[in-house]
Amino acid sequence: MMKEEVADESQLDFLSVPKGTFFGMAVSPDGKYLCASIRQPNVGFELALWNIHKNELIRIFKAVSYARWMQFSPDSKYIGVGYSSSVAIYNLNGEIINIISLDLAVAHFAWRPNGKHIAIATRTPCFFVANALEKRRMRHWQYPPYYDDYYDEVFGVAWHPDGKRLAVLHEYGLTIHEMPYLKIIRHDENEYVGGGKPPLTYSPDGKYIAFELDTVLIADGETLELLPEEQFPYSGGGNITSYDWRVQRYITIGTTSNKVFLWNFERSETEKVWAFKFKEYTHPGQVLMHPSGKTIFAMYRKFGIAILQI
């Protein structure tokens, strides 16, 4: 049975964070760290790293700009940060280990499960597969013009958990490529507009692919056929700001109605809803689930990062 928990901002628990504007966040796979892109008053863009278990700010370090997308490496030792035309790799001391420069607008990126490579989507017909920690030659793929008239645009990339396949969401299709030569093994021709946050993701078991249009759609990871509509997460009428599928059982969704939904994928039902009341209109710009499946982080642009207990 769905439970709705209503709270105002004074009742929410927030991470002990500096005051500023928040642009994005990432949680490490080992569950120890959270990193956020922030801008404090009269200070440039920065990255802030927290110890989640201690609710302790570890360090703040300079950033190139605001983060368009952030993701920890699979071993939790590095943080990838997507900027306007590059992806920078930081260690946990805030030192830049590598910068993957493209001279193209970066839309999204994803670490390969082996931690050695990063796939990068650009707002062009191209995506790239680069070495994450060393400067080496990159593989790239360019989709052809659609009916010889319209140029495609890549929105997002997602690695299958086995690291052998790469899913790519682009304006005119959802395509599965096989490594190491990026051979196309499956393609679903369709028209997509923009990309969600994230544009797409595999389920933790690799059997499904989720991507956002007006709602979060879920397709079979092999055939790319959509599942029955009743298995799509419910978002309560508000527009979706972000979603997260980090634990097989749960999909977490944030909406413009200032609610966070916990969708039980195994039972195809909303298990819990958090509804928040603030003095001024706001909504979570991003939601992430802790790998333990017991906590959700909801990021507010002006107020910081709230901690929700499942």
Side-chain angles (χ1 to χ4, degrees):
M1 182 177 179
M2 183 181 73
K3 298 184 293 183
E4 181 163 307
E5 185 175 306
V6 180
D8 62 39
E9 59 185 288
S10 65
Q11 296 171 301
L12 289 175
D13 291 326
F14 285 85
L15 283 179
S16 55
V17 299
K19 291 185 178 180
T21 304
F22 291 74
F23 297 96
M25 62 178 176
V27 174
S28 63
D30 64 7
K32 294 180 180 179
Y33 305 108
L34 183 145
C35 189
S37 170
I38 65 173
R39 187 172 191 178
Q40 298 183 70
N42 303 315
V43 180
F45 292 101
E46 297 174 313
L47 298 171
L49 183 67
W50 284 270
N51 182 309
I52 293 173
H53 301 304
K54 296 180 180 179
N55 191 6
E56 180 179 274
L57 181 63
I58 300 173
R59 63 180 49 87
I60 296 178
F61 42 99
K62 292 294 182 181
V64 175
S65 177
Y66 78 89
R68 285 156 173 78
W69 183 250
M70 304 173 65
Q71 188 180 39
F72 278 85
S73 60
D75 63 6
S76 301
K77 293 181 179 180
Y78 303 96
I79 308 163
V81 180
Y83 295 120
S84 60
S85 60
S86 66
V87 176
I89 310 299
Y90 297 82
N91 63 20
L92 300 187
N93 292 322
E95 300 165 329
I96 294 179
I97 302 302
N98 190 21
I99 296 180
I100 306 166
S101 298
L102 298 173
D103 294 327
L104 296 170
V106 172
H108 181 243
F109 72 89
W111 285 84
R112 194 175 184 182
N114 65 11
K116 295 180 179 179
H117 305 106
I118 285 182
I120 305 171
T122 69
R123 295 199 173 279
T124 70
C126 301
F127 70 86
F128 296 80
V129 177
N131 189 287
L133 305 179
E134 300 176 4
K135 291 188 180 297
R136 293 185 179 181
R137 181 180 177 185
M138 293 182 282
R139 292 188 181 275
H140 84 281
W141 183 276
Q142 180 171 334
Y143 292 109
Y146 189 68
Y147 291 129
D148 297 325
D149 290 321
Y150 302 99
Y151 282 96
D152 212 337
E153 181 179 342
V154 179
F155 299 131
V157 287
W159 291 98
H160 186 275
D162 67 11
K164 297 178 181 179
R165 286 170 285 172
L166 178 68
V168 182
L169 184 70
H170 47 109
E171 191 171 0
Y172 297 114
L174 173 60
T175 305
I176 308 298
H177 295 260
E178 186 177 61
M179 294 297 289
Y181 302 111
L182 300 178
K183 176 184 175 182
I184 293 177
I185 59 173
R186 190 81 67 224
H187 174 72
D188 176 53
E189 185 173 308
N190 216 323
E191 291 192 27
Y192 299 101
V193 180
K197 193 173 187 177
L200 78 165
T201 185
Y202 271 98
S203 60
D205 66 4
K207 293 182 179 180
Y208 307 98
I209 297 176
F211 52 97
E212 181 194 334
L213 292 180
D214 293 330
T215 186
V216 176
L217 305 180
I218 303 175
D220 184 281
E222 294 292 335
T223 65
L224 301 186
E225 294 181 1
L226 292 177
L227 301 188
E229 188 173 338
E230 58 266 22
Q231 292 186 259
F232 298 164
Y234 173 71
S235 57
N239 293 326
I240 295 172
T241 58
S242 78
Y243 69 98
D244 188 43
W245 198 354
R246 195 170 306 264
V247 176
Q248 183 66 28
R249 182 182 182 185
Y250 291 129
I251 298 175
T252 306
I253 297 174
T255 70
T256 54
S257 59
N258 203 12
K259 292 183 178 182
V260 175
F261 291 80
L262 182 66
W263 176 259
N264 190 313
F265 176 69
E266 296 175 351
R267 298 206 302 257
S268 297
E269 66 179 22
T270 299
E271 188 168 307
K272 191 172 182 178
V273 180
W274 290 264
F276 306 118
K277 296 180 179 179
F278 284 68
K279 294 178 181 178
E280 58 181 273
Y281 171 72
T282 187
H283 58 263
Q286 187 178 1
V287 291
L288 292 177
M289 178 171 281
H290 188 272
S292 67
K294 299 178 180 179
T295 305
I296 295 171
F297 300 100
M299 184 200 75
Y300 287 87
R301 189 175 176 91
K302 292 183 179 180
F303 298 97
I305 299 170
I307 307 169
L308 312 178
Q309 301 298 337
I310 296 173

